[in-house]
Amino acid sequence: EQDMAHELARQRRIVLICGHYEGIDARVQAILGGEELSVGDYVLTGGELPAMIVVDAVSRLRPGVIDEASIDE
């Protein structure tokens, strides 16, 4: 949701790990203490497309990425 995009945009850095394998994904989350994000209630073959959605939603909120008037509209 947009609130999460704003929260992530305020961070200095974020790391997106694109999941593929349930067991490995669970260990990475446990070891790194990461937060799991969802972009919808459907199944995809990997995490690359959701990662691109997050990058697009977050980057447009960073200063200088796009014209401020575009954000307001």
Side-chain angles (χ1 to χ4, degrees), residues 4-57:
M4 175 63 77
H6 280 285
E7 181 182 326
L8 291 172
R10 287 189 292 271
Q11 302 299 315
R12 185 164 182 256
R13 293 186 184 138
I14 61 172
V15 175
L16 301 175
I17 299 174
C18 302
H20 277 281
Y21 306 105
E22 185 176 353
I24 294 172
D25 297 347
R27 287 188 299 229
V28 168
Q29 185 176 6
I31 292 168
L32 298 178
E35 186 174 337
E36 187 174 314
L37 299 176
S38 174
V39 296
D41 189 19
Y42 44 84
V43 178
L44 299 171
T45 57
E48 295 84 3
L49 293 175
M52 288 192 298
I53 291 169
V54 172
V55 167
D56 188 73

